[in-house]
Amino acid sequence: MSNLFTIEHARALDRDDPLGRFRQEFVINDPSMVYLDGNSLGRLPLRAAGHMEDAIRKQWGEDLIRSWNKQWYTQSARLGKKIAQIIGAEPHEVIVSDSTSVNLYKLAYGALRLQEGRTEIISDDMNFPSDLYIMQGLIKQLGGKHTLRLLNSPDGISTDMKELGSMLGNNTALLTLSHVAYKSSYLYDMERVSELAHQHGALVLWDLSHSVGAVPVNLNMAKVDLAVGCTYKYLNGGPGSPAFLYVKQELQERLENPIQGWFGEQNPFDFHLSYKESKGIRKFLAGTPPVISLSGLEPALEMILEAGMGAIRQKSVALSKYLLTLTQKYLMGEGVRVGSPDNADRRGSHISLKHAEAYRICKALNDPEVGDGVVIPDFREPNNIRLGLTPLYTSYEDIFRAVRQMKEIIGGELYENYSQIRDQVT
Ligand SMILES: Cc1ncc(COP(=O)(O)O)c(C=O)c1O
């Protein structure tokens, strides 16, 4: 075997990669660019581009309104069924609609209404801010009787299960957490946490945005009540592609949707003047779905199903171990710290590296003055360089080249040539 710390070694790992063939299924016009931001926006699958072209030119351009009956009306549920296979749910428990934030709002509202008499919502301080904003807004709208309590992470990397257990009690209405933390990549033990919540009579609502398509998820096995997640990260659905929601079968009838739009009505084309909710998961829809955006998602999901979550996870763990080995050798002496869990079992599919100059390092990686190409990670305040590993298209060579470039930028203090002023989107 070649020396671990050479590009030849990385290339040998790529040649042996059982998922290697999927890379050519994505649009990669600049092979010198290393893209490590699939945890924010997945690459464009070639098949998705073809489907979207068909949706625009044929379905919209030629078939026009007739497309609703041909394929558009059932699209949200059809895609939900595919996502259900990826997250271990029954086909009728998942539907695609709205954004993650809106879906979180709908399900959290339903959960709090079901849990009348209990007034506590528990989350953690590593959760995505939008999730916490939604809870804060709901508390206002429901008259201010609820409180949101956050489990504190001592190091910003992980949380303590025992402490979580001690926060739950018979006043806890809802426990809502991100399955994988957006900054540190900490991966909760979904089964254990859900069980803990249920022991106290609380409902559990997971945000799967950073885990769906990246780590195996089995909602039914973990006895999860409610979940939401986005489709533009590891599912490669495209910018702003709609999110999904999951409501376990037993809760579907009792859980109220606060946004009673016509797409959730039993017979929307009867145009009744008073709302009667649909049976089943459709009742959590609100209005007309963004059809064109949804059309790219279907082939993207099929690709994940073809590859299989087992193989995806295996490669994700191998990529992250490789990245950490190179980080240890080349970057730890340069003021870099690892901001993700050491244990691969407790880690999602991205790694955060911390450095006091993280922002300017990211700028230099994006717009290099040296080296052999652009490297795209993303930056998360205050000092995280976040490196997303998407097993369907991230190669070992990508990782080798990204670390080599970081070493050059940090070692030579080349970030000094870049501005500290934050871009609008980081
Ligand atoms: C964990 C998590 N939850 C929620 C959101 C918000 O998603 P949306 O913009 O679809 O509402 C994001 C966005 O990146 C996220 O990472």
Side-chain angles (χ1 to χ4, degrees), residues 285-347:
L285 295 181
T288 309
V291 169
I292 304 300
S293 194
L294 280 173
S295 65
L297 183 55
E298 194 150 11
L301 295 174
E302 278 161 12
M303 226 168 12
I304 304 244
L305 290 167
E306 256 173 63
M309 283 312 304
I312 287 175
R313 175 62 173 167
Q314 216 174 5
K315 182 172 171 194
S316 159
V317 170
L319 287 170
S320 65
K321 284 185 175 167
Y322 180 59
L323 171 57
L324 288 172
T325 303
L326 296 186
T327 298
Q328 181 77 35
K329 179 162 173 80
Y330 294 113
L331 303 177
M332 298 297 258
E334 306 281 358
V336 168
R337 281 183 299 124
V338 176
S340 297
D342 293 335
N343 178 358
D345 293 341
R346 293 271 64 83
R347 212 168 50 216

Short mmCIF file of all heavy atoms in Angstrom, two decimals, residues 285-347:
data_model
loop_
_atom_site.label_atom_id
_atom_site.label_comp_id
_atom_site.label_asym_id
_atom_site.label_seq_id
_atom_site.Cartn_x
_atom_site.Cartn_y
_atom_site.Cartn_z
N LEU A 285 -50.52 19.24 4.61
CA LEU A 285 -50.21 20.16 3.51
C LEU A 285 -50.98 21.46 3.75
O LEU A 285 -51.96 21.48 4.50
CB LEU A 285 -50.65 19.55 2.17
CG LEU A 285 -49.93 18.28 1.72
CD1 LEU A 285 -50.48 17.83 0.38
CD2 LEU A 285 -48.43 18.51 1.63
N ALA A 286 -50.52 22.52 3.08
CA ALA A 286 -51.25 23.78 3.23
C ALA A 286 -51.71 24.28 1.86
O ALA A 286 -52.89 24.26 1.56
CB ALA A 286 -50.37 24.80 3.93
N GLY A 287 -50.75 24.73 1.02
CA GLY A 287 -51.15 25.28 -0.28
C GLY A 287 -50.38 24.62 -1.43
O GLY A 287 -49.71 23.61 -1.23
N THR A 288 -50.49 25.20 -2.60
CA THR A 288 -49.89 24.66 -3.83
C THR A 288 -48.38 24.44 -3.67
O THR A 288 -47.67 25.36 -3.28
CB THR A 288 -50.14 25.66 -4.99
OG1 THR A 288 -51.52 25.97 -4.99
CG2 THR A 288 -49.72 25.07 -6.31
N PRO A 289 -47.89 23.25 -3.98
CA PRO A 289 -46.46 22.99 -3.84
C PRO A 289 -45.64 23.59 -4.99
O PRO A 289 -46.18 23.79 -6.08
CB PRO A 289 -46.37 21.46 -3.88
CG PRO A 289 -47.58 21.02 -4.62
CD PRO A 289 -48.65 22.06 -4.40
N PRO A 290 -44.36 23.86 -4.77
CA PRO A 290 -43.50 24.38 -5.85
C PRO A 290 -43.08 23.23 -6.78
O PRO A 290 -42.05 22.59 -6.59
CB PRO A 290 -42.29 24.94 -5.07
CG PRO A 290 -42.27 24.18 -3.80
CD PRO A 290 -43.64 23.70 -3.51
N VAL A 291 -43.90 23.02 -7.77
CA VAL A 291 -43.79 21.83 -8.62
C VAL A 291 -42.42 21.69 -9.30
O VAL A 291 -41.83 20.60 -9.32
CB VAL A 291 -44.91 21.87 -9.69
CG1 VAL A 291 -44.69 20.82 -10.76
CG2 VAL A 291 -46.26 21.68 -9.02
N ILE A 292 -41.92 22.78 -9.84
CA ILE A 292 -40.65 22.69 -10.60
C ILE A 292 -39.53 22.26 -9.66
O ILE A 292 -38.69 21.42 -9.99
CB ILE A 292 -40.29 24.05 -11.27
CG1 ILE A 292 -41.44 24.52 -12.16
CG2 ILE A 292 -38.99 23.94 -12.05
CD1 ILE A 292 -41.83 23.59 -13.29
N SER A 293 -39.52 22.84 -8.49
CA SER A 293 -38.49 22.51 -7.51
C SER A 293 -38.61 21.05 -7.08
O SER A 293 -37.61 20.34 -6.94
CB SER A 293 -38.66 23.45 -6.32
OG SER A 293 -37.55 23.40 -5.51
N LEU A 294 -39.86 20.60 -6.92
CA LEU A 294 -40.07 19.20 -6.51
C LEU A 294 -39.60 18.22 -7.58
O LEU A 294 -39.20 17.10 -7.28
CB LEU A 294 -41.55 18.95 -6.24
CG LEU A 294 -42.09 19.42 -4.90
CD1 LEU A 294 -43.60 19.28 -4.84
CD2 LEU A 294 -41.47 18.61 -3.78
N SER A 295 -39.64 18.65 -8.84
CA SER A 295 -39.35 17.70 -9.92
C SER A 295 -37.88 17.27 -9.91
O SER A 295 -37.54 16.21 -10.42
CB SER A 295 -39.75 18.27 -11.27
OG SER A 295 -38.95 19.39 -11.54
N GLY A 296 -37.00 18.09 -9.36
CA GLY A 296 -35.58 17.70 -9.30
C GLY A 296 -35.31 16.70 -8.19
O GLY A 296 -34.31 15.97 -8.20
N LEU A 297 -36.22 16.66 -7.24
CA LEU A 297 -35.97 15.85 -6.05
C LEU A 297 -36.14 14.34 -6.31
O LEU A 297 -35.41 13.52 -5.75
CB LEU A 297 -36.92 16.32 -4.93
CG LEU A 297 -36.79 15.68 -3.57
CD1 LEU A 297 -35.37 15.78 -3.03
CD2 LEU A 297 -37.76 16.36 -2.58
N GLU A 298 -37.08 14.00 -7.17
CA GLU A 298 -37.41 12.58 -7.35
C GLU A 298 -36.20 11.75 -7.79
O GLU A 298 -35.84 10.78 -7.14
CB GLU A 298 -38.57 12.45 -8.34
CG GLU A 298 -39.18 11.07 -8.33
CD GLU A 298 -40.66 11.08 -8.67
OE1 GLU A 298 -41.18 12.12 -9.11
OE2 GLU A 298 -41.30 10.03 -8.50
N PRO A 299 -35.51 12.14 -8.88
CA PRO A 299 -34.34 11.35 -9.29
C PRO A 299 -33.21 11.42 -8.27
O PRO A 299 -32.44 10.46 -8.13
CB PRO A 299 -33.91 11.99 -10.61
CG PRO A 299 -34.57 13.31 -10.66
CD PRO A 299 -35.79 13.24 -9.81
N ALA A 300 -33.12 12.54 -7.56
CA ALA A 300 -32.06 12.66 -6.54
C ALA A 300 -32.29 11.63 -5.43
O ALA A 300 -31.36 10.97 -4.96
CB ALA A 300 -32.05 14.08 -5.98
N LEU A 301 -33.55 11.43 -5.06
CA LEU A 301 -33.87 10.45 -4.02
C LEU A 301 -33.61 9.02 -4.52
O LEU A 301 -33.11 8.17 -3.77
CB LEU A 301 -35.34 10.57 -3.60
CG LEU A 301 -35.75 11.87 -2.92
CD1 LEU A 301 -37.25 11.90 -2.68
CD2 LEU A 301 -35.00 12.04 -1.60
N GLU A 302 -33.93 8.81 -5.79
CA GLU A 302 -33.71 7.46 -6.34
C GLU A 302 -32.24 7.08 -6.28
O GLU A 302 -31.88 5.93 -6.03
CB GLU A 302 -34.23 7.40 -7.78
CG GLU A 302 -35.74 7.16 -7.79
CD GLU A 302 -36.41 7.54 -9.10
OE1 GLU A 302 -35.72 7.77 -10.10
OE2 GLU A 302 -37.67 7.60 -9.09
N MET A 303 -31.38 8.07 -6.48
CA MET A 303 -29.94 7.80 -6.44
C MET A 303 -29.51 7.34 -5.04
O MET A 303 -28.71 6.42 -4.89
CB MET A 303 -29.18 9.06 -6.81
CG MET A 303 -28.10 8.77 -7.78
SD MET A 303 -27.36 10.16 -8.56
CE MET A 303 -27.87 11.57 -7.76
N ILE A 304 -30.06 7.99 -4.03
CA ILE A 304 -29.73 7.62 -2.64
C ILE A 304 -30.21 6.19 -2.37
O ILE A 304 -29.50 5.39 -1.76
CB ILE A 304 -30.41 8.57 -1.64
CG1 ILE A 304 -30.04 10.01 -1.94
CG2 ILE A 304 -30.15 8.16 -0.18
CD1 ILE A 304 -29.26 10.76 -0.96
N LEU A 305 -31.41 5.89 -2.87
CA LEU A 305 -31.96 4.54 -2.64
C LEU A 305 -31.12 3.49 -3.37
O LEU A 305 -30.88 2.39 -2.85
CB LEU A 305 -33.43 4.47 -3.07
CG LEU A 305 -34.37 5.26 -2.15
CD1 LEU A 305 -35.74 5.43 -2.79
CD2 LEU A 305 -34.50 4.58 -0.78
N GLU A 306 -30.66 3.84 -4.55
CA GLU A 306 -29.80 2.92 -5.31
C GLU A 306 -28.49 2.64 -4.56
O GLU A 306 -28.04 1.50 -4.48
CB GLU A 306 -29.41 3.58 -6.64
CG GLU A 306 -30.15 3.06 -7.85
CD GLU A 306 -29.79 3.90 -9.05
OE1 GLU A 306 -28.59 3.93 -9.47
OE2 GLU A 306 -30.70 4.55 -9.56
N ALA A 307 -27.90 3.70 -4.03
CA ALA A 307 -26.60 3.54 -3.33
C ALA A 307 -26.79 2.80 -2.01
O ALA A 307 -25.95 1.97 -1.64
CB ALA A 307 -25.98 4.91 -3.08
N GLY A 308 -27.87 3.07 -1.32
CA GLY A 308 -28.17 2.41 -0.04
C GLY A 308 -27.53 3.16 1.12
O GLY A 308 -26.35 3.55 1.06
N MET A 309 -28.30 3.35 2.20
CA MET A 309 -27.79 4.12 3.34
C MET A 309 -26.64 3.42 4.05
O MET A 309 -25.80 4.08 4.65
CB MET A 309 -28.92 4.45 4.32
CG MET A 309 -29.84 5.57 3.89
SD MET A 309 -29.00 7.07 3.32
CE MET A 309 -27.96 7.48 4.71
N GLY A 310 -26.60 2.08 3.99
CA GLY A 310 -25.49 1.36 4.64
C GLY A 310 -24.17 1.73 3.99
O GLY A 310 -23.19 2.09 4.68
N ALA A 311 -24.13 1.67 2.66
CA ALA A 311 -22.89 1.99 1.93
C ALA A 311 -22.54 3.47 2.09
O ALA A 311 -21.37 3.84 2.21
CB ALA A 311 -23.05 1.64 0.46
N ILE A 312 -23.57 4.32 2.11
CA ILE A 312 -23.33 5.76 2.26
C ILE A 312 -22.69 6.04 3.62
O ILE A 312 -21.70 6.77 3.73
CB ILE A 312 -24.65 6.56 2.07
CG1 ILE A 312 -25.04 6.54 0.58
CG2 ILE A 312 -24.54 7.97 2.60
CD1 ILE A 312 -26.38 7.18 0.25
N ARG A 313 -23.24 5.43 4.66
CA ARG A 313 -22.68 5.65 6.00
C ARG A 313 -21.24 5.12 6.09
O ARG A 313 -20.37 5.77 6.66
CB ARG A 313 -23.57 4.97 7.05
CG ARG A 313 -23.04 5.02 8.47
CD ARG A 313 -22.91 6.43 9.01
NE ARG A 313 -22.57 6.46 10.42
CZ ARG A 313 -22.16 7.55 11.07
NH1 ARG A 313 -22.04 8.70 10.44
NH2 ARG A 313 -21.89 7.51 12.36
N GLN A 314 -21.02 3.95 5.51
CA GLN A 314 -19.69 3.35 5.58
C GLN A 314 -18.65 4.29 4.95
O GLN A 314 -17.59 4.55 5.52
CB GLN A 314 -19.71 2.04 4.80
CG GLN A 314 -18.84 1.00 5.43
CD GLN A 314 -19.00 -0.34 4.71
OE1 GLN A 314 -19.69 -0.45 3.69
NE2 GLN A 314 -18.37 -1.34 5.24
N LYS A 315 -19.01 4.86 3.79
CA LYS A 315 -18.04 5.75 3.15
C LYS A 315 -17.91 7.06 3.92
O LYS A 315 -16.81 7.61 4.05
CB LYS A 315 -18.44 6.03 1.70
CG LYS A 315 -17.41 6.91 1.00
CD LYS A 315 -17.64 7.08 -0.48
CE LYS A 315 -16.69 8.15 -1.04
NZ LYS A 315 -17.08 8.58 -2.38
N SER A 316 -19.04 7.54 4.46
CA SER A 316 -18.98 8.79 5.23
C SER A 316 -18.02 8.66 6.42
O SER A 316 -17.20 9.55 6.69
CB SER A 316 -20.39 9.14 5.71
OG SER A 316 -20.35 10.00 6.80
N VAL A 317 -18.10 7.53 7.10
CA VAL A 317 -17.21 7.31 8.25
C VAL A 317 -15.75 7.21 7.78
O VAL A 317 -14.84 7.80 8.37
CB VAL A 317 -17.63 6.05 9.05
CG1 VAL A 317 -16.59 5.68 10.09
CG2 VAL A 317 -18.99 6.29 9.72
N ALA A 318 -15.54 6.51 6.67
CA ALA A 318 -14.17 6.36 6.16
C ALA A 318 -13.61 7.73 5.74
O ALA A 318 -12.45 8.05 6.04
CB ALA A 318 -14.16 5.39 4.98
N LEU A 319 -14.45 8.55 5.09
CA LEU A 319 -13.98 9.88 4.66
C LEU A 319 -13.65 10.74 5.88
O LEU A 319 -12.63 11.44 5.89
CB LEU A 319 -15.08 10.59 3.85
CG LEU A 319 -15.36 10.11 2.43
CD1 LEU A 319 -16.63 10.75 1.89
CD2 LEU A 319 -14.19 10.39 1.49
N SER A 320 -14.50 10.67 6.90
CA SER A 320 -14.24 11.54 8.06
C SER A 320 -13.00 11.08 8.82
O SER A 320 -12.22 11.90 9.30
CB SER A 320 -15.47 11.67 8.96
OG SER A 320 -15.80 10.44 9.53
N LYS A 321 -12.78 9.77 8.87
CA LYS A 321 -11.56 9.29 9.56
C LYS A 321 -10.31 9.72 8.78
O LYS A 321 -9.30 10.13 9.36
CB LYS A 321 -11.59 7.76 9.68
CG LYS A 321 -12.55 7.29 10.77
CD LYS A 321 -12.49 5.80 10.97
CE LYS A 321 -13.37 5.39 12.16
NZ LYS A 321 -13.60 3.96 12.22
N TYR A 322 -10.40 9.65 7.47
CA TYR A 322 -9.27 10.05 6.63
C TYR A 322 -8.99 11.55 6.82
O TYR A 322 -7.84 11.96 7.01
CB TYR A 322 -9.62 9.72 5.17
CG TYR A 322 -8.56 10.08 4.17
CD1 TYR A 322 -7.28 9.54 4.24
CD2 TYR A 322 -8.84 10.95 3.12
CE1 TYR A 322 -6.30 9.88 3.31
CE2 TYR A 322 -7.89 11.29 2.18
CZ TYR A 322 -6.62 10.75 2.28
OH TYR A 322 -5.66 11.07 1.35
N LEU A 323 -10.06 12.34 6.82
CA LEU A 323 -9.89 13.79 7.02
C LEU A 323 -9.26 14.07 8.38
O LEU A 323 -8.36 14.92 8.50
CB LEU A 323 -11.26 14.49 6.90
CG LEU A 323 -11.32 15.96 7.29
CD1 LEU A 323 -10.35 16.81 6.49
CD2 LEU A 323 -12.74 16.51 7.10
N LEU A 324 -9.69 13.36 9.40
CA LEU A 324 -9.16 13.62 10.74
C LEU A 324 -7.69 13.18 10.84
O LEU A 324 -6.88 13.82 11.52
CB LEU A 324 -10.01 12.92 11.80
CG LEU A 324 -11.38 13.58 12.00
CD1 LEU A 324 -12.27 12.75 12.92
CD2 LEU A 324 -11.24 15.00 12.54
N THR A 325 -7.33 12.09 10.15
CA THR A 325 -5.93 11.65 10.15
C THR A 325 -5.04 12.71 9.50
O THR A 325 -3.97 13.06 10.02
CB THR A 325 -5.81 10.31 9.38
OG1 THR A 325 -6.68 9.37 9.98
CG2 THR A 325 -4.39 9.77 9.39
N LEU A 326 -5.49 13.25 8.37
CA LEU A 326 -4.69 14.28 7.68
C LEU A 326 -4.65 15.56 8.51
O LEU A 326 -3.63 16.25 8.58
CB LEU A 326 -5.26 14.57 6.30
CG LEU A 326 -5.25 13.43 5.27
CD1 LEU A 326 -5.72 13.93 3.91
CD2 LEU A 326 -3.87 12.80 5.12
N THR A 327 -5.78 15.88 9.16
CA THR A 327 -5.83 17.08 10.01
C THR A 327 -4.81 16.97 11.13
O THR A 327 -4.07 17.91 11.43
CB THR A 327 -7.25 17.25 10.60
OG1 THR A 327 -8.15 17.42 9.52
CG2 THR A 327 -7.35 18.43 11.52
N GLN A 328 -4.78 15.78 11.76
CA GLN A 328 -3.85 15.53 12.86
C GLN A 328 -2.41 15.78 12.40
O GLN A 328 -1.65 16.46 13.05
CB GLN A 328 -4.04 14.06 13.28
CG GLN A 328 -3.18 13.59 14.43
CD GLN A 328 -3.74 14.10 15.76
OE1 GLN A 328 -4.95 14.19 15.90
NE2 GLN A 328 -2.86 14.45 16.68
N LYS A 329 -2.09 15.29 11.22
CA LYS A 329 -0.69 15.38 10.77
C LYS A 329 -0.34 16.80 10.28
O LYS A 329 0.72 17.32 10.61
CB LYS A 329 -0.45 14.38 9.64
CG LYS A 329 0.98 14.45 9.09
CD LYS A 329 1.35 13.23 8.32
CE LYS A 329 2.69 13.37 7.63
NZ LYS A 329 3.82 13.16 8.52
N TYR A 330 -1.25 17.44 9.53
CA TYR A 330 -0.85 18.68 8.86
C TYR A 330 -1.38 19.95 9.50
O TYR A 330 -0.84 21.03 9.28
CB TYR A 330 -1.32 18.66 7.40
CG TYR A 330 -0.62 17.60 6.57
CD1 TYR A 330 -1.31 16.51 6.07
CD2 TYR A 330 0.75 17.71 6.30
CE1 TYR A 330 -0.67 15.54 5.32
CE2 TYR A 330 1.40 16.75 5.55
CZ TYR A 330 0.69 15.66 5.06
OH TYR A 330 1.32 14.71 4.33
N LEU A 331 -2.48 19.87 10.26
CA LEU A 331 -3.13 21.12 10.68
C LEU A 331 -3.11 21.37 12.18
O LEU A 331 -3.23 22.52 12.61
CB LEU A 331 -4.59 21.15 10.18
CG LEU A 331 -4.78 21.00 8.66
CD1 LEU A 331 -6.27 20.97 8.30
CD2 LEU A 331 -4.10 22.16 7.92
N MET A 332 -2.98 20.30 12.97
CA MET A 332 -3.07 20.50 14.42
C MET A 332 -1.94 21.40 14.94
O MET A 332 -2.13 22.12 15.91
CB MET A 332 -3.05 19.17 15.17
CG MET A 332 -4.22 18.26 14.84
SD MET A 332 -5.82 18.91 15.28
CE MET A 332 -6.11 18.00 16.76
N GLY A 333 -0.80 21.35 14.28
CA GLY A 333 0.32 22.22 14.70
C GLY A 333 0.14 23.66 14.25
O GLY A 333 0.97 24.52 14.54
N GLU A 334 -0.92 23.92 13.52
CA GLU A 334 -1.11 25.26 12.93
C GLU A 334 -2.26 26.02 13.60
O GLU A 334 -2.87 26.89 13.00
CB GLU A 334 -1.43 25.13 11.42
CG GLU A 334 -0.43 24.33 10.61
CD GLU A 334 0.82 25.15 10.28
OE1 GLU A 334 0.86 26.34 10.66
OE2 GLU A 334 1.74 24.59 9.67
N GLY A 335 -2.58 25.64 14.82
CA GLY A 335 -3.63 26.36 15.55
C GLY A 335 -5.03 25.85 15.25
O GLY A 335 -6.02 26.50 15.58
N VAL A 336 -5.12 24.69 14.60
CA VAL A 336 -6.43 24.12 14.29
C VAL A 336 -6.83 23.14 15.39
O VAL A 336 -6.01 22.37 15.88
CB VAL A 336 -6.39 23.38 12.92
CG1 VAL A 336 -7.64 22.55 12.70
CG2 VAL A 336 -6.21 24.38 11.79
N ARG A 337 -8.12 23.20 15.79
CA ARG A 337 -8.68 22.21 16.72
C ARG A 337 -9.87 21.54 16.05
O ARG A 337 -10.53 22.17 15.22
CB ARG A 337 -9.22 22.90 17.98
CG ARG A 337 -8.19 23.30 18.99
CD ARG A 337 -8.85 23.91 20.22
NE ARG A 337 -9.62 25.12 19.94
CZ ARG A 337 -10.90 25.29 20.23
NH1 ARG A 337 -11.61 24.33 20.80
NH2 ARG A 337 -11.53 26.44 19.97
N VAL A 338 -10.12 20.31 16.44
CA VAL A 338 -11.28 19.63 15.88
C VAL A 338 -12.51 19.99 16.72
O VAL A 338 -12.48 19.85 17.94
CB VAL A 338 -11.06 18.10 15.84
CG1 VAL A 338 -12.32 17.39 15.33
CG2 VAL A 338 -9.87 17.76 14.94
N GLY A 339 -13.56 20.45 16.05
CA GLY A 339 -14.78 20.87 16.77
C GLY A 339 -15.91 19.87 16.61
O GLY A 339 -17.08 20.22 16.72
N SER A 340 -15.56 18.62 16.33
CA SER A 340 -16.56 17.55 16.16
C SER A 340 -16.19 16.39 17.08
O SER A 340 -15.03 16.26 17.48
CB SER A 340 -16.57 17.06 14.71
OG SER A 340 -16.95 18.10 13.86
N PRO A 341 -17.16 15.52 17.39
CA PRO A 341 -16.86 14.39 18.29
C PRO A 341 -15.75 13.48 17.74
O PRO A 341 -15.66 13.28 16.52
CB PRO A 341 -18.18 13.63 18.36
CG PRO A 341 -19.22 14.63 17.99
CD PRO A 341 -18.59 15.55 17.01
N ASP A 342 -14.94 12.92 18.65
CA ASP A 342 -13.88 11.97 18.25
C ASP A 342 -14.46 10.67 17.76
O ASP A 342 -13.94 10.03 16.86
CB ASP A 342 -13.00 11.60 19.47
CG ASP A 342 -12.21 12.79 19.95
OD1 ASP A 342 -11.95 13.69 19.12
OD2 ASP A 342 -11.88 12.83 21.16
N ASN A 343 -15.56 10.27 18.43
CA ASN A 343 -16.14 8.95 18.18
C ASN A 343 -17.03 9.00 16.93
O ASN A 343 -18.03 9.71 16.89
CB ASN A 343 -16.97 8.58 19.42
CG ASN A 343 -17.67 7.27 19.27
OD1 ASN A 343 -17.59 6.62 18.23
ND2 ASN A 343 -18.39 6.87 20.31
N ALA A 344 -16.65 8.20 15.93
CA ALA A 344 -17.41 8.20 14.66
C ALA A 344 -18.88 7.83 14.87
O ALA A 344 -19.75 8.28 14.12
CB ALA A 344 -16.76 7.25 13.66
N ASP A 345 -19.17 7.02 15.89
CA ASP A 345 -20.56 6.63 16.14
C ASP A 345 -21.44 7.80 16.58
O ASP A 345 -22.66 7.72 16.57
CB ASP A 345 -20.65 5.57 17.25
CG ASP A 345 -20.04 4.27 16.81
OD1 ASP A 345 -19.89 4.08 15.58
OD2 ASP A 345 -19.68 3.45 17.68
N ARG A 346 -20.80 8.85 17.06
CA ARG A 346 -21.55 10.01 17.55
C ARG A 346 -21.38 11.22 16.62
O ARG A 346 -21.59 12.35 17.01
CB ARG A 346 -21.10 10.40 18.98
CG ARG A 346 -21.43 9.37 20.04
CD ARG A 346 -22.83 9.59 20.67
NE ARG A 346 -23.93 9.43 19.75
CZ ARG A 346 -24.49 8.26 19.39
NH1 ARG A 346 -24.07 7.13 19.88
NH2 ARG A 346 -25.50 8.24 18.53
N ARG A 347 -21.00 10.95 15.37
CA ARG A 347 -20.71 12.03 14.43
C ARG A 347 -21.54 11.86 13.16
O ARG A 347 -21.72 10.74 12.69
CB ARG A 347 -19.22 11.91 14.08
CG ARG A 347 -18.53 13.18 13.79
CD ARG A 347 -17.02 13.02 13.75
NE ARG A 347 -16.58 11.95 12.91
CZ ARG A 347 -15.53 11.18 13.18
NH1 ARG A 347 -14.81 11.38 14.28
NH2 ARG A 347 -15.18 10.21 12.37
#
